[in-house]
Amino acid sequence: MSAAALDMIAKLVGFATVSRDSNLELIEYIRGYLADLGVDSRLVPNTDGSKANLFATIGPMVAGGVVLSGHTDVVPVDGQPWDSDPFVLTENNGRLYGRGTADMKSFYAIALALVPEMLARGLARPIHLALSYDEEIGCLGAPAMIRRIAMELPAPRAIVVGEPTDMRIVTAHKSITGLETLVTGYEAHSSQTHRGVSAVMTAARLITFLEDLAKENAALRVSQTPFEPPHSTIHVGTVHGGTATNIISRECRFTWDMRCIPEDDPQDYLQRFERYCRDEILPGMQAIAPEASIVTAMRSSVPALVPESNGAAETLVRHLTGYNSSDAVAYGAEAGQFQRAGFSTVICGPGSIDQAHQPNEYIETSQVDACVGFMHRLIDAQAA
Ligand SMILES: [Zn+2]
């Protein structure tokens, strides 16, 4: 295994860039590393300046570049049974353990480790790095950077998003729509159920409606879609509501998401939900308390990645990996956002998605080697 790649993976895993915290220490480290090599970076900060995207160009500022894209944030480790410190890279038996080893610091750590080689080779066409924040909480950071890339960089020919695919080529992912529903009822003593409107019990009915909708959809769909599962899904992840057993609850809030195959429009499901609220649920609530309400807000929306016919990114990555087939994945990623902005995009990166978000997350060293080989062939392609 390349010592420089191993060192850089260890360095990046050492920054505990959980999405709720700042990523600036990691960003400043990468900016400093690139600056020492004579490569300028551009930062795209969030509104309060606590996080930033970074993009940088190695090679000439000309069209035909390849963007290597990754997210700097990782999911939390709270409550997970880790056998080693998640933020200290630990090598054991052909595996590198640490949060972010698979999802997805290794991909761009390897690219960063090879920047000296890219510079020494003298690229004819550039390799761009694009590192985002807040991917894990709804791909919130990347859109502002993608707009800057579209405005400021000469048109790249391909985007490679290095989410873990075992270095296989992924040309399709589902869309993700993240939502939050707030049910406002009316408080009363729990012995006086005819005088109050329970937000918690109303939320339970709404959640059951969503589950029924998801089941009905799963049963109806007969599809050739390559996704697993082969249909759109709806899932409620958190519920918070009520203050005491003997108080009819005033508020209940739940968060949910829809992950839709490209041929399904999430708006259709949302409209059915809204219609159910308006026609079946709200009239009964408001007969007791006119101010009762159900409000649903969209928290995030990531478009699906759709297979391109003769896509430049797929053609390039087939050449670089030697794979002739392409896959679809159920998880969402920033790839759909790049594609929606007009860029030819695929996902291809080292490590397995099975390891992502798990305790004792790891990447096989053989995957690191495979990614180093991929980067060498990319350098060859951009030097020619
Ligand atoms: Zn990821």
Side-chain angles (χ1 to χ4, degrees):
M1 197 175 32
S2 146
L6 181 62
D7 286 351
M8 186 60 79
I9 296 169
K11 186 76 197 173
L12 298 190
V13 167
F15 294 101
T17 49
V18 176
S19 311
R20 64 176 174 242
D21 300 322
S22 171
N23 74 338
L24 289 182
E25 278 185 35
L26 178 146
I27 288 291
E28 286 304 331
Y29 169 74
I30 292 175
R31 176 153 82 162
Y33 169 84
L34 290 172
D36 288 346
L37 295 168
V39 176
D40 284 335
S41 304
R42 300 179 196 188
L43 301 194
V44 187
N46 66 351
T47 43
D48 70 3
S50 62
K51 298 174 184 178
N53 302 302
L54 176 152
F55 66 101
T57 298
I58 299 107
M61 269 291 179
V62 298
V66 174
V67 175
L68 302 177
S69 154
H71 60 82
T72 60
D73 58 324
V74 295
V75 294
V77 297
D78 312 62
Q80 292 189 337
W82 281 75
D83 296 328
S84 59
D85 184 334
F87 300 108
V88 175
L89 191 74
T90 306
E91 187 172 2
N92 189 10
N93 237 336
R95 293 173 173 176
L96 304 174
Y97 290 88
R99 173 59 87 223
T101 48
D103 186 15
M104 56 166 290
K105 289 178 169 173
S106 295
F107 175 72
Y108 53 87
I110 293 164
L112 286 166
L114 290 174
V115 169
E117 202 168 314
M118 296 173 195
L119 294 168
R121 271 298 285 282
L123 301 179
R125 292 179 290 184
I127 294 173
H128 309 281
L129 295 172
L131 306 179
S132 69
Y133 62 87
D134 282 357
E135 192 272 351
E136 295 288 5
I137 52 174
C139 300
L140 303 178
M145 174 170 61
I146 294 171
R147 281 194 294 277
R148 289 273 305 270
I149 286 174
M151 285 188 303
E152 296 174 25
L153 295 186
R157 62 179 160 138
I159 315 289
V160 181
V161 178
E163 291 282 352
T165 64
D166 293 303
M167 294 309 294
R168 298 184 62 81
I169 307 165
V170 167
T171 57
H173 68 64
K174 292 182 175 180
S175 67
I176 317 176
T177 309
L179 303 128
E180 182 174 68
T181 297
L182 172 62
V183 181
T184 305
Y186 187 72
E187 281 157 315
H189 191 280
S190 66
S191 67
Q192 301 293 301
T193 50
H194 60 297
R195 292 177 195 271
V197 177
S198 166
V200 166
M201 294 175 78
T202 304
R205 290 181 68 186
L206 301 183
I207 292 167
T208 300
F209 175 83
L210 290 174
E211 186 178 17
D212 290 346
L213 188 60
K215 281 183 178 161
E216 175 197 302
N217 179 62
L220 275 179
R221 182 160 287 281
V222 181
S223 173
Q224 297 307 305
T225 183
F227 293 101
E228 170 59 34
H231 51 77
S232 301
T233 57
I234 302 174
H235 173 257
V236 177
T238 68
V239 185
H240 294 101
T243 47
T245 310
N246 61 357
I247 300 174
I248 294 175
S249 52
R250 179 182 153 74
E251 260 189 26
C252 187
R253 195 181 284 276
F254 62 92
T255 58
W256 48 294
D257 70 18
M258 301 187 279
R259 290 162 183 267
C260 292
I261 57 177
E263 47 271 61
D264 274 4
D265 185 348
Q267 284 298 333
D268 293 345
Y269 295 109
L270 185 55
Q271 278 167 18
R272 281 186 65 183
F273 176 74
E274 297 279 21
R275 210 178 308 133
Y276 176 73
C277 293
R278 189 187 65 221
D279 297 347
E280 307 289 330
I281 302 295
L282 269 174
M285 296 170 74
Q286 292 177 339
I288 298 170
E291 65 269 47
S293 63
I294 303 170
V295 177
T296 298
M298 198 178 291
R299 291 285 175 242
S300 62
S301 170
V302 181
L305 177 68
V306 182
E308 303 163 12
S309 61
N310 295 315
E314 185 177 0
T315 305
L316 171 72
V317 174
R318 282 184 179 212
H319 168 68
L320 299 179
T321 60
Y323 280 117
N324 275 320
S325 61
S326 45
D327 300 329
V329 294
Y331 60 85
E334 294 162 342
Q337 295 173 326
F338 275 103
Q339 188 181 56
R340 187 64 69 94
F343 298 114
S344 178
T345 306
V346 295
I347 306 175
C348 178
S352 166
I353 194 65
D354 295 342
Q355 294 307 318
H357 304 194
Q358 298 284 335
N360 300 319
E361 177 181 347
Y362 67 83
I363 188 168
E364 305 271 357
T365 54
S366 59
Q367 282 289 302
V368 175
D369 292 337
C371 186
V372 170
F374 170 95
M375 293 293 178
H376 279 140
R377 289 186 290 277
L378 174 64
I379 294 169
D380 289 344
Q382 295 303 82

